[in-house]
Amino acid sequence: MNRLFNIFRLSVVCLSVVTLVSCLDNDDNRQSVTFNNMAVTVSGNELEGYRLYTDFDAVLVPSNLSQISWLKEVRRTVVSFDTSDESLTNVSDLESGHTYDIVLSEAAEIPTYISCVDTLSEDYQIFGQDSIALKNKAVQSVNQTEGQYYIQNGYMNVVPTFYFDPYSAVSFLLYYDGNRDIDTTGKKATFNLYFDNNAPNAWNTTSSLISLRMPDEVYSRFIQTGLTDDDTIDVCLNVRTQTGTVTLEYKTALEDFMLP
């Protein structure tokens, strides 16, 4: 599923996806700008090379990916990197649609989940054994601050706080009712967050940015009604917390359902 360890080591970076930059001097006295904790989607292959797509659509091309080779095997990560481009002095200088050559300095995988279940599907009705109703647990809370819940580059991103056991796998997924929750006329999709820490008495707690793959089948249902990638829809996420259900709302273009 993903590297479980990263769920716990990401508790610091999840609350601030992008920070301001700092300046360092390299060996030949040229000024190098360092960008810290930027969330990206990894795309590419060995033949064509790899690119890192930021959540504001700038494209990063790392020259030293071989030094962090595990990045080739993950979908989402937080990176820090340097660039010698003297025109770049802060985050706002990185423009959507532009490509930048970078040197990676640090990286940490974002826990990523790709399961999405339509509870009306035959697959679930016959084989699901009602596992969502039986095993779904409440997270402690979810970050409702603006900018902490969003959809970009094919992933829904959210920051829950939850209990975990270091020796048990943590599972998140999306589920929805295919009739009630997908409103193509009203241009609205509603999903529910499933959580299971697979531990009856977990006592460790963490806050972590997690990324959930947006379902192709929901994207297709909107496109089949005549909408285009540029059309926007409202995407709601219901999160069951220990103090009750919280509903997060975000307006996104349909193209944001798709991988870069």
Side-chain angles (χ1 to χ4, degrees):
M1 179 180 292
N2 59 279
R3 301 173 187 218
L4 182 62
F5 176 70
N6 286 298
I7 291 177
F8 318 122
R9 72 177 180 180
L10 274 177
S11 58
V12 176
V13 302
C14 69
L15 299 181
S16 181
V17 172
V18 179
T19 68
L20 296 180
V21 301
S22 60
C23 294
L24 301 174
D25 287 331
N26 59 20
D27 291 340
D28 58 5
N29 293 322
R30 289 181 306 168
Q31 195 174 60
S32 176
V33 180
T34 299
F35 293 80
N36 297 313
N37 299 342
M38 190 169 292
V40 299
T41 299
V42 182
S43 180
N45 53 54
E46 291 290 349
L47 181 62
E48 299 177 352
Y50 291 86
R51 294 188 169 201
L52 311 179
Y53 291 79
T54 73
D55 286 348
F56 53 92
D57 286 334
V59 183
L60 310 177
V61 181
S63 62
N64 62 332
L65 193 59
S66 60
Q67 298 176 22
I68 314 178
S69 58
W70 60 262
L71 274 181
K72 301 175 182 179
E73 303 173 4
V74 304
R75 300 176 180 90
R76 293 273 293 161
T77 185
V78 170
V79 296
S80 297
F81 59 91
D82 298 333
T83 175
S84 59
D85 187 337
E86 295 181 357
S87 68
L88 304 177
T89 59
N90 55 59
V91 170
S92 63
D93 291 333
L94 296 173
E95 298 183 32
S96 172
H98 287 236
T99 300
Y100 303 92
D101 295 323
I102 65 165
V103 177
L104 291 169
S105 55
E106 293 183 346
E109 185 181 355
I110 298 172
T112 305
Y113 302 86
I114 59 174
S115 297
C116 188
V117 176
D118 180 355
T119 58
L120 296 184
S121 67
E122 180 177 308
D123 228 17
Y124 180 78
Q125 292 290 326
I126 296 175
F127 303 110
Q129 303 298 317
D130 205 19
S131 58
I132 288 176
L134 291 173
K135 297 181 179 180
N136 193 15
K137 298 179 181 178
V139 299
Q140 285 180 272
S141 61
V142 62
N143 194 326
Q144 301 180 60
T145 306
E146 184 177 357
Q148 297 299 302
Y149 166 64
Y150 63 98
I151 298 162
Q152 188 69 30
N153 289 329
Y155 289 96
M156 176 187 289
N157 301 278
V158 64
V159 183
T161 299
F162 54 92
Y163 287 110
F164 69 93
D165 183 328
Y167 304 101
S168 300
V170 172
S171 300
F172 285 95
L173 61 81
L174 296 174
Y175 69 97
Y176 63 98
D177 180 314
N179 286 339
R180 182 186 61 197
D181 293 334
I182 308 302
D183 180 4
T184 55
T185 302
K187 298 182 180 180
K188 182 177 180 180
T190 300
F191 298 95
N192 304 283
L193 185 67
Y194 169 92
F195 165 65
D196 185 7
N197 55 17
N198 290 289
N201 298 306
W203 57 272
N204 297 279
T205 187
T206 190
S207 297
S208 177
L209 171 67
I210 65 170
S211 295
L212 302 119
R213 180 74 179 92
M214 295 302 290
D216 291 339
E217 60 270 21
V218 173
Y219 167 83
S220 296
R221 285 181 60 173
F222 283 100
I223 292 297
Q224 288 167 4
T225 66
L227 297 180
T228 70
D229 282 350
D230 293 331
D231 285 309
T232 59
I233 65 170
D234 295 311
V235 180
C236 296
L237 178 65
N238 296 322
V239 182
R240 182 184 168 203
T241 75
Q242 292 183 343
T243 57
T245 298
V246 172
T247 300
L248 305 175
E249 299 181 7
Y250 186 76
K251 186 179 291 290
T252 193
L254 277 173
E255 66 180 355
D256 294 332
F257 275 53
M258 305 304 293
L259 294 172

